[in-house]
Amino acid sequence: MILDPGITHPVFALLVIAAAIGSIWLIDRWLAVPLDSSRVQGIDGLRGYLAGMVFIHHACIWYAFLRSGHWESPASAFYTELGRSSVALFFMITAFLFTRRILVSRTIEWNRLYVSRILRIVPLLVVHHLAALLVLAFIRLNHMPTVFNGIPTDRKVLLTAAVSWTLDYEWIFYLILPLIALVRGSRVPLVLALISALMVMERQSEVLSEHMLPFFGGVVAALVADSRRLRTFAPSPMASLLALVCLAAAYGYGRSLPTIVWLIALTVAFTLIANGNTLAGLLQSRVSRVFGEITYSVYLLHGLVLFIAFRGVTGIPLAQSLSPAMHWLVVGLAAPLLVSLSFASWRWIEQPCLRRVDAWSKRLRLSFVEPSQPPSTRQPAISNKFNNSNSVAN
């Protein structure tokens, strides 16, 4: 439980986001990050803020953890939803983009889809875990204690904030995609359909868990995307107001709302954003979209940055004595470091791996495109405006 209610004042979250945005603006002026204008700009702009809010959520948890030794959700509903609702929206993004791809194309290069997911997710995840191991090795070599307040805590939680659990559910959804394609009436290789069905049976508890509910919200957004009325209404100022009201309800009162009401609020807001709303231009701005480019790195690396900030830089005794304002000052100073590391990993790990998707797909020779279909008609698994814009892992 949060020991000082001042730690959860909303202004601290705004200041940390401002520090991150300022850092992104400066780095973009230096690097001139290329942006793909064919993608869904609202989704591109949304992703970065979601990762930033998860960072703030875990930074708030650190305040109480340093004083109680217990890693648990903040007492504040708002700071709790910065994690819970943001992850739910990440899941909706994944479901929307991939379901939409299935709906607009009856033929999918399944090998390219899964190769792209592996190259998108795995390399940085491996580097992330290796970095955590190096930090842990450094602590041990310097004979630093690995417990806080005498209470042993899962090192994975401390070092990484255990953020990789969401990737498990994303992979479950990826493996369900062949079944969705079958329902759509698309051709799916028998082996792939069997693997998908076996996975659903094997992971039944996860498939039916509450964590999978937001994916249905993304599927709904994809199913209604062809509505002319929605496409006309979504970019309007009234739609922006509706989206903001729904987001305010989910983030401000989500913990006290029935799950179905919370989910509907997020689904309505996301459906508007996915179909043309940019929250009065905020999500369409260049700095927001650049923030979206480094989402995956921010999401994976922020737990390690927080650990280094409180364990390595300030030290535990000083960190435990910080006032709420000073605690958030440390977090605000860590934000530029996180942004810088995320840009570096995006440029030298994520992008080089993504450039290998086509080559690896051809090399594996696992394409399930109909033999009679001319090569010129083949489409990538995620193309045009849906290209590489999925959820956390992008």
Side-chain angles (χ1 to χ4, degrees):
M1 179 178 292
I2 295 295
L3 304 180
D4 187 335
I7 193 67
T8 58
H9 196 290
V11 72
F12 292 126
L14 294 176
L15 291 175
V16 174
I17 286 291
I21 289 294
S23 304
I24 291 165
W25 182 80
L26 289 173
I27 293 176
D28 182 46
R29 284 180 63 86
W30 175 42
L31 295 178
V33 177
L35 297 174
D36 187 349
S37 60
S38 68
R39 301 197 313 205
V40 184
Q41 295 186 9
I43 289 179
D44 274 1
L46 176 64
R47 290 180 294 119
Y49 292 109
L50 297 180
M53 286 188 283
V54 174
F55 167 57
I56 295 168
H57 166 77
H58 286 132
C60 186
I61 289 176
W62 262 96
Y63 182 87
F65 170 74
L66 286 165
R67 290 153 180 79
S68 68
H70 298 288
W71 186 272
E72 56 190 10
S73 294
S76 162
F78 172 65
Y79 276 86
T80 295
E81 292 303 325
L82 288 181
R84 176 177 176 241
S85 290
S86 297
V87 167
L89 286 169
F90 273 134
F91 287 165
M92 288 184 186
I93 292 173
T94 291
F96 172 81
L97 293 169
F98 284 90
T99 302
R100 191 68 193 149
R101 179 68 186 112
I102 288 173
L103 293 175
V104 301
S105 177
R106 299 181 66 87
T107 304
I108 300 173
E109 288 187 84
W110 292 101
N111 68 303
R112 191 181 192 281
L113 188 153
Y114 288 114
V115 166
S116 71
R117 294 306 87 207
I118 291 171
L119 291 178
R120 188 73 187 86
I121 295 172
V122 175
L124 183 58
L125 187 62
V126 170
V127 172
H128 169 251
H129 287 333
L130 288 176
L133 289 175
L134 287 175
V135 171
L136 183 60
F138 177 82
I139 290 174
R140 287 182 171 178
L141 288 174
N142 286 273
H143 305 290
M144 298 179 181
T146 57
V147 297
F148 297 83
N149 297 320
I151 303 174
T153 304
D154 188 342
R155 292 180 186 131
K156 183 179 180 181
V157 171
L158 290 181
L159 287 167
T160 68
V163 295
S164 59
W165 72 267
T166 60
L167 299 179
D168 295 339
Y169 286 93
E170 294 235 351
W171 271 111
I172 288 173
F173 184 80
Y174 297 149
L175 293 173
I176 291 175
L177 285 174
L179 299 183
I180 296 177
L182 281 175
V183 174
R184 166 68 175 85
S186 301
R187 297 287 298 273
V188 178
L190 178 60
V191 172
L192 191 58
L194 288 174
I195 292 174
S196 183
L198 289 172
M199 187 282 303
V200 170
M201 291 187 289
E202 174 66 23
R203 305 292 294 274
Q204 186 177 7
S205 60
E206 289 94 337
V207 171
L208 298 177
S209 73
E210 187 175 295
H211 294 305
M212 293 298 295
L213 291 176
F215 289 101
F216 290 102
V219 170
V220 169
L223 290 173
V224 301
D226 290 325
S227 168
R228 290 185 179 181
R229 290 184 178 180
L230 176 61
R231 287 288 182 180
T232 301
F233 174 69
S236 69
M238 186 60 67
S240 294
L241 178 60
L242 177 58
L244 287 172
V245 168
C246 290
L247 289 173
Y251 277 89
Y253 305 97
R255 193 164 62 179
S256 59
L257 291 173
T259 300
I260 187 63
V261 176
W262 167 78
L263 185 62
I264 289 173
L266 287 178
T267 300
V268 170
F270 174 73
T271 299
L272 293 172
I273 292 170
N275 289 283
N277 190 271
T278 60
L279 299 183
L282 172 65
L283 303 182
Q284 197 175 22
S285 67
R286 178 173 177 83
V287 70
S288 297
R289 294 168 60 205
V290 172
F291 198 0
E293 288 293 322
I294 62 170
T295 296
Y296 185 42
S297 290
V298 171
Y299 185 79
L300 274 191
L301 299 177
H302 77 265
L304 194 57
V305 168
L306 286 171
F307 179 86
I308 292 172
F310 290 117
R311 182 66 185 84
V313 177
T314 65
I316 298 304
L318 176 59
Q320 290 173 330
S321 66
L322 293 176
S323 67
M326 293 305 296
H327 177 90
W328 285 114
L329 177 61
V330 172
V331 177
L333 293 174
L337 172 62
L338 174 61
V339 167
S340 300
L341 289 175
S342 297
F343 266 108
S345 67
W346 171 79
R347 186 168 186 175
W348 288 305
I349 300 174
E350 296 183 53
Q351 291 300 299
C353 290
L354 285 176
R355 286 194 288 268
R356 301 301 299 168
V357 169
D358 286 331
W360 279 37
S361 299
K362 293 176 182 178
R363 188 176 301 171
L364 290 174
R365 298 180 181 179
L366 294 175
S367 178
F368 294 112
V369 176
E370 292 296 311
S372 60
Q373 184 179 0
S376 60
T377 64
R378 295 187 179 187
Q379 300 182 35
I382 304 296
S383 63
N384 297 329
K385 72 176 184 177
F386 304 118
N387 185 38
N388 289 329
S389 292
N390 69 301
S391 190
V392 176
N394 188 63

